[in-house]
Every structure is written in structure tokens, then in C-alpha cells.
Amino acid sequence: MHLVRVELADPAHLRAARRAVDREVAAARTALARELPRAQLAAGRPVRVSALLADLIAAALDAARRTDGDVDPTVGAALLRLRYASHRPWLPACGSGAGVLEKPAPGWREVRLDGQWLTVPPTILLDLGATAPARTAERCAALVLERYGTAARVEIDGDVASTLGPALGRSRGAVLDPSTGRPVQRRWREVTVEAATCVTASAFATAVAVRGDATLPDGVTAHLESVAA
């Protein structure tokens, strides 16, 4: 079960805010578990998806672009081949992709998102594990601020979105190199990145774990814990 924590500047609203966050997290997981497989099984035809799923897909594609493909949502088939899916609650358990099980990730540019119309080629299985928790945490923090008028810190699976200060993203589990489809031999036990947004922090935490010399944008800092520590 994924970890969700909520902290508020005004704790008087904590119980109501926590319920709102739980609903938002449930909605995100439902979109990934029910909607995304339908798009992936559409044999490359465009499928209209909810605004929520479109937002999660857009965040994943933007992260892929900003990290030059070090964070690529088309690694889903490789994750299933390596049996990591049971540890990735944000990865749908069905979809196509059998044609790429022994190959590098097909590449994020093969996925098309036009508004709420999503096109996934039949050889691709998407995994949003590197960005969906972070984007959901962002959505939750913004929702709490708008609805209850209090700043919030929302953590989902180690990624922290905050309207109180900088966001954090962490990479500490199994990571694949999209260029090979193989697991990365971890240089660090944990990578923690601090950035203005949670998706940025999470994406570059994964990018650093994949490729140690990943270039960080201005305002983004990484903290590394050695495997030997």
C-alpha cells in the first residue's frame, strides 16, 4: 500500500483535508487502473480519457522531455518482464507491449496526447510510477489550499508537494535505464532532489539514479546517500 501523509499550516482542517486527499488519490489510481488499460488496448486508436488521466499523462511526457528520456513512461513492459510491477502500485496490470519485452523502451515520443485524446501504440505499455505520485501530491496540495485556505504538505510514496516551501522527490527503489530496458546498478541508496515542483523533483531524482551525470536545471539540487553508507 502506498504511503500518504498530510500536514497543514492550520491543523483545524486536517481531518477534512485528509479525506479530500484520500479521494483525490483514489481517483488517480482508478484512472490509471481502469482508464489507462483501455487506451493501451485500443490498438493505436485515439481514446478520449478523463481530464485527470490526461493531466497525469501530460506530467509524465513533460518529465520525459525535460530529462532527455532518462525518465520514460514507456518502460512498463520491461518492468513487467522483470516482475517489478507488484512493487509499483501506479502501474496498470494489463495492456499490450509483448513485442518489446526484450528491447529498450520504445520511447515517450511514440505516445500522443492531444487535449484529452490519448494514443498509445500497440507495442507500448505505460508506467507512470516515476511521476504519477508526485503529480497527484501536487494536485492534492493545491486542492487543500483552494478548498480550506491553508498551506499543505502532501507526501505520496516519498514524493513531497508543498505550498509551505520546496518540494522533494525521491528515488530509492528499482530503476530501469530506458535506453536498455535493464535495471540500473544503483550508485546510491537514495537520491533526494529538492525543486520548486514535486514532479520536477521526482523526475530528476529518477534521472540522477539512472544516469549519475544527469544535468540538473537551475534551482534543482540533489542529495545522494551512498550505497556503501
Side-chain angles (χ1 to χ4, degrees):
M1 179 63 67
H2 56 277
L3 174 69
V4 179
R5 290 196 177 105
V6 181
E7 299 176 13
L8 303 185
D10 180 0
H13 298 285
L14 182 58
R15 183 174 296 181
R18 178 59 199 241
R19 287 197 296 266
V21 166
D22 286 345
R23 287 193 294 269
E24 188 71 14
V25 171
R29 294 201 65 189
T30 296
L32 293 172
R34 296 182 182 177
E35 282 191 80
L36 188 53
R38 287 201 295 269
Q40 294 179 149
L41 291 170
R45 297 186 300 273
V47 173
R48 184 174 176 82
V49 299
S50 67
L52 172 54
L53 182 57
D55 182 64
L56 297 177
I57 295 289
L61 297 178
D62 185 59
R65 177 186 61 80
R66 296 186 65 195
T67 62
D68 293 326
D70 286 336
V71 179
D72 191 321
T74 66
V75 297
L79 284 168
L80 285 182
R81 173 173 60 86
L82 295 167
R83 300 183 180 179
Y84 290 163
S86 62
H87 304 292
R88 299 291 286 270
W90 300 86
L91 176 65
C94 61
S96 56
V100 297
L101 290 179
E102 302 296 333
K103 300 178 182 179
W108 62 275
R109 291 181 179 85
E110 299 297 316
V111 180
R112 297 285 181 267
L113 181 66
D114 182 10
Q116 289 180 233
W117 289 93
L118 175 63
T119 304
V120 181
T123 56
I124 288 179
L125 178 62
L126 294 178
D127 164 48
L128 304 187
T131 55
R135 180 56 188 148
T136 302
E138 288 180 353
R139 291 174 61 94
C140 290
L143 174 66
V144 170
L145 179 61
E146 178 182 4
R147 184 171 298 178
Y148 303 105
T150 181
R153 185 179 187 272
V154 179
E155 177 181 353
I156 300 178
D157 291 348
D159 294 327
V160 180
S162 178
T163 51
L164 297 166
L168 299 177
R170 294 188 177 94
S171 175
R172 53 191 172 195
V175 177
L176 295 186
D177 183 344
S179 68
T180 64
R182 297 176 181 174
V184 172
Q185 185 173 359
R186 294 191 68 91
R187 304 171 180 85
W188 301 284
R189 187 185 309 276
E190 179 171 309
V191 178
T192 302
V193 169
E194 183 176 302
T197 72
C198 193
V199 171
T200 297
S202 181
F204 281 98
T206 299
V208 170
V210 170
R211 183 163 52 89
D213 61 351
T215 301
L216 300 179
D218 291 342
V220 176
T221 58
H223 308 277
L224 312 176
E225 180 184 340
S226 173
V227 169

